[in-house]
Amino acid sequence: MTDRAAVVIVGAGMAGVAAAHELAVRRGLRDVVLIDERAPLTLTSDKSSECYRNWWPGPDDAMVALMNASIDRLEELSDESGDAFHLNRRGYVWATADPTRAEQLRRDAEESASLGAGPLRVHRGAASDPPYAPSLPGGSDRGLTGADLLLDQRLIRGAFPYLSEDVVAVLHARRCGWLSAQQLGMHLVETARDRGLRLLRARVLGVDVRDGRVQAVRTSAGPITTEAVVVAAGPFASDVAAMAGARLPVYNELHGKVAFRDDAHLVPRGAPFMIWADPQRLWLSPDERAQVADERPDWLTRVFPAGVHLRPEGGPQSDALLLIWSYEERREPPVHPPVFDPAFAEICLRGLVRMIPGLAAYVGHTPRPVIDGGYYTRTRENRPLVGPLAVRGLYADCAFGGFGIMAACGAAMLLADHLTGGPLPHYAPAFLASRYDDPAYEAAIAGVRSGQL
């Protein structure tokens, strides 16, 4: 006997789980089926830095608006669940030792502020400066918004004594932080199941289409008749869409993270999410510098891009740090488990020594690191795909390249508006796959920053 469903969501990562929760709990839609051959949140959603931010570039306010809506929902969920997923608002901090880059940080902050991320406050060390409020080590101070640009080195040293002494500017974006993605996802799944969501552990074999409209999903557990299929399959999204004859303009990029124990407690447990804003050569010890150049591997001599970052992981009693650095672009078909550069952990650690010199104590005898990661599924300007595709009844909810945890709830609301015929927010067209048919949009995104850290 053929099963039936009002909506079938393919993929039980954070995007699919959030969509299922929005439809079943918030919109009261019955007969929602969430399909994945794996357990929820085990492919890529648990491989991320688990952070969120409303700090995004243009060319318009679409990304900032989507993230603000998503963070609003995260805060509601935190209140409803008794903060089951440990939402904080410690912020994102960009640090630089380059005066010219300090000016670029200011321009970037002015752009994000103009797009709705909140006001910019500049601190130069004058008595007339607005006060700077350090982040709370725990909880979420929701009054913190916008950003603080610290240009006074005494203020920088006082707030961040572990940073390199030559740091000349710090930009602290405030409506940002992190959470436990696994616990958020489990809260969404369980509350949705209480409202009738069906979770099906199965492989999707095909999507049947007749006369340009979705008819059914074929699975290893049997067929499901439906007129609405949501493609939320992360790195396999293009494969699922192709089953229905649709093409997604996406690619997959491998990204990793390193977890290791900060036994010496060199980074405060209450530190924000820290990012080094300058390109660099990796830190070398005096003995390493004395070696002949051709005896060193390439990764000890080349210039690496900006963006190495870290954050504390776990509660006050934990000593774990997460290190992340997307220093090279690796586009490839998804392979599981993914294979990482053998030097990845050491490259991340050496890169962070430039920002936090105390970490040099771990180079050469780092507590055994754990390397994990997954694939970022991205469009070329790194904006998601949310909404109807060319095949009627087929919807995209994917291409969250590095921001799936933070965007999933906002995208779920937008997807639900499309599915239920509700009023769409002004930014909805910015996330349709059809946006690439507009020459004006193509011109607008030419050369824009992707927002990728």
Side-chain angles (χ1 to χ4, degrees):
M1 183 175 180
T2 302
D3 194 3
R4 294 183 180 275
V7 179
V8 172
I9 302 170
V10 181
M14 189 61 77
V17 164
H21 180 274
E22 181 69 25
L23 291 170
V25 177
R26 300 277 181 166
R27 309 298 174 107
L29 198 63
R30 301 305 178 194
D31 296 324
V32 177
V33 176
L34 180 62
I35 303 178
D36 203 309
E37 61 182 297
R38 299 172 176 84
L41 304 155
T42 56
L43 180 61
T44 59
S45 295
D46 63 345
K47 309 297 191 296
S48 72
S49 60
E50 302 177 273
C51 296
Y52 72 91
R53 58 189 162 104
N54 74 338
W55 206 250
W56 289 83
D60 52 41
D61 72 342
M63 285 299 291
V64 173
L66 175 67
M67 293 303 176
N68 276 332
S70 199
I71 296 168
D72 286 345
R73 183 68 96 217
L74 285 172
E75 291 175 348
E76 292 175 8
L77 289 165
S78 176
D79 292 341
E80 292 170 5
S81 67
D83 194 30
F85 49 93
H86 309 298
L87 183 70
N88 74 47
R89 196 184 281 199
R90 294 190 200 170
Y92 276 39
V93 164
W94 284 263
T96 179
D98 182 348
T100 61
R101 192 153 286 104
E103 177 60 22
Q104 183 62 54
L105 287 177
R106 183 187 64 79
R107 289 194 295 268
D108 292 346
E110 289 174 343
E111 177 187 19
S112 291
S114 72
L115 297 174
L120 172 63
R121 297 167 293 274
V122 181
H123 307 267
R124 297 186 175 87
S128 59
D129 285 352
Y132 168 69
S135 298
L136 296 175
S140 178
D141 183 353
R142 296 181 186 175
L144 289 172
T145 187
D148 293 272
L149 180 61
L150 283 59
L151 300 175
D152 176 60
Q153 286 188 294
R154 288 177 299 177
L155 181 57
I156 292 170
R157 293 294 300 163
F160 306 99
Y162 46 92
L163 289 180
S164 176
E165 292 185 0
D166 62 353
V167 169
V168 297
V170 160
L171 177 66
H172 192 173
R174 311 312 295 259
R175 200 179 191 203
C176 316
W178 59 91
L179 51 90
S180 170
Q182 194 70 25
Q183 290 178 343
L184 169 62
M186 289 301 98
H187 172 73
L188 295 174
V189 167
E190 292 308 316
T191 52
R193 291 179 77 170
D194 289 343
R195 299 292 187 91
L197 170 70
R198 287 185 288 157
L199 190 61
L200 178 62
R201 190 82 171 264
R203 175 185 288 268
V204 173
L205 304 176
V207 179
D208 294 337
V209 176
R210 185 167 62 240
D211 298 328
R213 175 177 285 280
V214 166
Q215 299 291 312
V217 176
R218 286 177 283 113
T219 82
S220 57
I224 304 173
T225 299
T226 186
E227 294 185 353
V229 174
V230 176
V231 181
F236 298 107
S238 60
D239 297 328
V240 175
M243 292 177 180
R247 178 182 175 275
L248 297 183
V250 300
Y251 62 91
N252 291 313
E253 190 174 275
L254 181 63
H255 288 262
K257 66 179 180 182
V258 179
F260 82 93
R261 294 176 58 190
D262 179 17
D263 290 335
H265 303 287
L266 299 173
V267 178
R269 297 310 303 168
F273 188 89
M274 308 295 299
I275 307 150
W276 186 242
D278 301 344
Q280 61 166 305
R281 284 189 168 85
L282 298 183
W283 179 86
L284 302 176
S285 70
D287 288 344
E288 289 170 329
R289 291 182 184 280
Q291 294 175 10
V292 178
D294 60 11
E295 293 180 359
R296 298 184 218 138
D298 168 73
W299 55 267
L300 282 179
T301 59
R302 77 185 214 233
V303 175
F304 280 76
V308 62
H309 42 290
L310 93 165
R311 71 164 178 85
E313 165 67 354
Q317 306 308 313
S318 172
D319 59 5
L321 295 177
L322 291 185
L323 321 181
I324 308 102
W325 199 2
S326 302
Y327 56 79
E328 63 182 359
E329 184 179 289
R330 282 183 56 181
R331 299 189 186 188
E332 58 186 55
V335 176
H336 295 277
V339 178
F340 296 97
D341 182 345
F344 180 62
E346 186 169 359
I347 288 172
C348 289
L349 178 59
R350 287 177 181 267
L352 283 164
V353 171
R354 180 66 185 89
M355 177 168 64
I356 303 175
L359 293 175
Y362 292 127
V363 174
H365 43 84
T366 310
R368 185 174 179 83
V370 176
I371 301 175
D372 200 356
Y375 291 90
Y376 289 177
T377 303
R378 302 178 58 177
T379 60
R380 65 178 184 272
E381 81 279 31
N382 205 31
R383 288 186 166 192
L385 300 172
V386 184
L389 296 169
V391 177
R392 286 177 295 169
L394 189 69
Y395 296 83
D397 188 23
C398 57
F400 300 100
F403 51 89
I405 302 301
M406 66 182 87
C409 290
M413 291 188 288
L414 177 56
L415 174 74
D417 290 338
H418 282 293
L419 269 165
T420 63
L424 296 171
H426 74 276
Y427 51 82
F431 305 119
L432 294 174
S434 59
R435 65 191 188 245
Y436 299 111
D437 298 332
D438 181 1
Y441 181 79
E442 289 280 2
I445 64 171
V448 302
R449 293 179 294 127
S450 71
Q452 187 62 59
L453 300 182

